[in-house]
Amino acid sequence: MEYRIEKDTMGEMKVPADKYWAAQTQRSFQNFPIGDEVMPREITRAFGVLKKAAALANHKLGKLSDEKVNAISSACDEVISGALNDHFPLVVWQTGSGTQSNMNANEVIANRGNEIAGAKILHPNDDINKSQSSNDTFPTAMHIAAVLSIEDKLFPAMDKLVETFKRLEKENEGIVKSGRTHLQDAVPIAFSQEISGWRNMIEKTKAQLTLALSGLKELALGGTAVGTGLNAPKGFAEEVANQVSILTGKKFVTAENKYHALTAKDELVFAHGAIKALACNLMKIANDIRWLASGPRDGLGEIFIPENEPGSSIMPGKVNPTQCESMTMVAVQVMANDVAVSVGASQGNFELNVFMPVIIYNFLQSVRLLSDGIVSFEKNCVTGIKANKEKMKHNLYNSLMLVTALNPYIGYENAAKTAKKAYKENISLKEACVALGFLTAEKFDEVFRPEEMAYPQN
């Protein structure tokens, strides 16, 4: 491999000749050979956005020349597009402020910008990092990445799942089945009503995430090292937020209190709480679906789901609810990630949180896994759900909890006696009720209408 010599304040470093990074990136690359978790590409893209926004703001405020802002902007566009991803090699497990990733961006943009300009006009610190500090750029990158990931990837996946549930509700109107509580038989419910509960879980968590987005759209940029704004010109914070908004098409604002913005990560904790709630809901939905599809002969068997691949290497013909299993494993990982986000956010010592890389790594992994998991779950499982009407009807009429409909006519205690007699003697509720003398056969048929029990207000 060919190398070139780059210098920083600590001396010279050999850097791969075909890479745009420089000495500080190389030091981090060599000093932290820990794991293979590279800084998320969402953060790389966010740095491209914020560095371009900062250059445009500095230019507007008279702090950067036309030649420099044009070179920086062109280089940043390549960072944003992902064309320079190979030049961002640093792992998550580095300095807790993300300083080396900030310098990675500064060095790459400076060297690529100089190449574009055809002259060495850009310095990583003096030009690319002008009016900034790692302490306000990294939290800004975290917020930009979080917002873009949620709005552009997670929300569309959630919306598609909601639309599929709405279609299934319409397709299954009027189909009544046995409800279940405590994994035991309960009173009847329409299958469309059960599906509506799943649908509303996704809608509710989207509303919770939307609420959390307002905090994530506040940017720390302009606070510089400790929140005082040292070395940032007046108006920079507001203008850079405006430029980020233009570049992303989303409304960002400067954080009102930069001391809070640098040291506290409560907005990310709050947002990840909603992400965890989504994971909890998806765990419940996936479990419901695989319980209802259990069988094919010895389970509940009330719904059919798509058969995607063989389920066993030894049992011929076996098919498993693999999409449900995948979705629930994603949910487990997201719940675990919430612990890391929470503990990391609690470590805001004095003027800076130094657990930012691990916070955003887990946050973005949660969003990425849920986004991809929901798309797969909807496409390969949920969209193909079909009701097994015969099995639903059989289970409905076989349920002893239908006796609840008799409460207004024979009372709770007599209804309990009816259910127990039917269960003990393996006879129908009607036979038990008539045998106990609580109702005549004709009166029983008049008041006992299981399908109507799902619509008591009609």
Side-chain angles (χ1 to χ4, degrees):
M1 179 182 290
E2 295 184 3
Y3 293 90
R4 70 179 189 277
I5 301 298
E6 290 276 0
K7 298 179 181 180
D8 61 11
T9 58
M10 296 185 71
E12 295 183 345
M13 289 294 294
K14 289 174 60 178
V15 176
D18 61 340
K19 302 302 182 185
Y20 289 122
W21 71 70
Q24 290 199 47
T25 302
Q26 187 65 32
R27 290 186 192 281
S28 178
F29 186 68
Q30 294 176 190
N31 290 340
F32 299 97
I34 304 170
D36 56 7
E37 293 84 4
V38 175
M39 191 64 68
R41 290 310 173 202
E42 297 93 335
I43 289 293
T44 302
R45 179 189 178 195
F47 264 112
V49 170
L50 78 87
K51 292 297 179 180
K52 182 174 182 178
L56 292 169
N58 280 317
H59 177 258
K60 187 172 182 178
L61 295 170
K63 301 296 182 180
L64 208 60
S65 69
D66 292 347
E67 184 183 23
K68 288 185 175 182
V69 75
N70 290 336
I72 293 172
S73 295
S74 295
C76 286
D77 286 340
E78 294 184 11
V79 174
I80 294 168
S81 72
L84 301 182
N85 280 351
D86 288 345
H87 302 268
F88 289 83
L90 301 187
V91 295
V92 171
W93 321 107
Q94 54 170 279
T95 177
S97 62
T99 297
Q100 283 120 20
S101 282
N102 178 49
M103 284 308 304
N104 188 182
N106 291 333
E107 292 174 344
V108 168
I109 293 167
N111 282 332
R112 177 58 182 143
N114 287 333
E115 188 175 69
I116 292 169
K120 195 168 184 179
I121 61 173
L122 300 174
H123 186 278
N125 299 81
D126 295 337
D127 298 305
I128 317 303
N129 203 59
K130 182 180 288 293
S131 310
Q132 306 153 60
S133 162
S134 298
N135 297 353
D136 64 355
T137 59
F138 200 87
T140 296
M142 292 169 76
H143 278 209
I144 294 172
V147 170
L148 295 181
S149 297
I150 291 169
E151 290 195 347
D152 295 346
K153 193 170 184 181
L154 183 56
F155 278 179
M158 295 172 71
D159 291 342
K160 184 67 168 65
L161 183 57
V162 166
E163 289 305 310
T164 298
F165 281 142
K166 287 181 178 178
R167 173 179 61 80
L168 290 173
E169 286 178 65
K170 291 181 180 179
E171 291 177 358
N172 291 282
E173 285 181 356
I175 300 175
V176 178
K177 59 186 287 293
S178 179
R180 294 180 178 86
T181 59
H182 303 271
L183 293 181
Q184 304 296 309
D185 302 343
V187 295
I189 186 173
F191 188 35
S192 60
Q193 293 169 336
E194 192 167 46
I195 296 170
S196 77
W198 300 339
R199 183 248 309 156
N200 199 228
M201 289 179 190
I202 308 302
E203 293 171 332
K204 287 285 189 181
T205 46
K206 183 180 179 182
Q208 292 160 4
L209 269 170
T210 300
L211 178 63
L213 282 172
S214 61
L216 294 178
K217 290 181 177 178
E218 296 181 9
L219 302 182
L221 213 54
T224 62
V226 294
T228 61
L230 180 67
N231 290 348
K234 183 178 180 180
F236 175 78
E238 292 75 14
E239 182 57 30
V240 79
N242 177 56
Q243 293 296 338
V244 170
S245 299
I246 294 171
L247 291 172
T248 61
K250 304 179 189 303
K251 181 60 178 176
F252 287 90
V253 297
T254 190
E256 180 180 358
N257 188 308
K258 299 299 190 298
Y259 308 102
H260 167 271
L262 268 59
T263 194
K265 297 293 160 272
D266 44 11
E267 295 103 336
L268 287 159
V269 173
F270 185 58
H272 200 274
I275 291 169
K276 180 178 70 171
L278 173 61
C280 292
N281 282 341
L282 287 165
M283 173 74 83
K284 178 265 191 299
I285 292 167
N287 277 336
D288 280 358
I289 289 172
R290 63 175 169 177
W291 270 108
L292 290 172
S294 61
R297 291 186 174 178
D298 295 336
L300 295 179
E302 291 189 344
I303 64 172
F304 302 109
I305 58 175
E307 298 182 349
N308 298 321
E309 61 270 322
S312 173
S313 61
I314 190 172
M315 293 176 280
K318 196 175 192 300
V319 180
N320 297 327
T322 52
Q323 287 294 321
C324 296
E325 292 166 3
S326 175
M327 190 73 262
T328 53
M329 284 193 289
V330 165
V332 166
Q333 184 63 57
V334 172
M335 293 177 208
N337 286 351
D338 194 66
V339 176
V341 171
S342 301
V343 174
S346 74
Q347 301 302 306
N349 306 125
F350 301 111
E351 278 64 61
L352 185 68
N353 179 288
V354 290
F355 283 69
M356 289 191 286
V358 72
I359 292 172
I360 198 60
Y361 172 78
N362 283 276
F363 188 102
L364 292 173
Q365 185 192 55
S366 292
V367 176
R368 196 181 312 117
L369 288 176
L370 284 173
S371 301
D372 294 345
I374 291 171
V375 169
S376 180
F377 186 49
E378 186 279 330
K379 177 183 178 181
N380 297 309
C381 180
V382 177
T383 192
I385 289 175
K386 301 292 182 185
N388 185 343
K389 298 178 184 178
E390 292 77 15
K391 189 63 179 289
M392 284 184 177
K393 185 174 182 179
H394 169 79
N395 289 345
L396 173 66
Y397 276 83
N398 197 44
S399 172
L400 296 175
M401 291 305 100
L402 296 177
V403 77
T404 306
L406 303 180
N407 285 359
Y409 305 97
I410 64 176
Y412 181 92
E413 292 190 7
N414 286 339
K417 291 177 183 178
T418 300
K420 291 178 179 181
K421 180 177 179 66
Y423 179 67
K424 183 177 181 180
E425 299 180 15
N426 196 27
I427 59 177
S428 68
L429 289 172
K430 179 178 180 179
E431 291 170 323
C433 188
V434 171
L436 290 168
F438 296 146
L439 291 175
T440 64
E442 294 74 20
K443 184 63 175 177
F444 184 94
D445 290 338
E446 177 186 335
V447 303
F448 189 77
R449 299 181 182 277
E451 282 77 11
E452 294 179 6
M453 292 173 69
Y455 307 98
Q457 306 303 319
N458 292 352

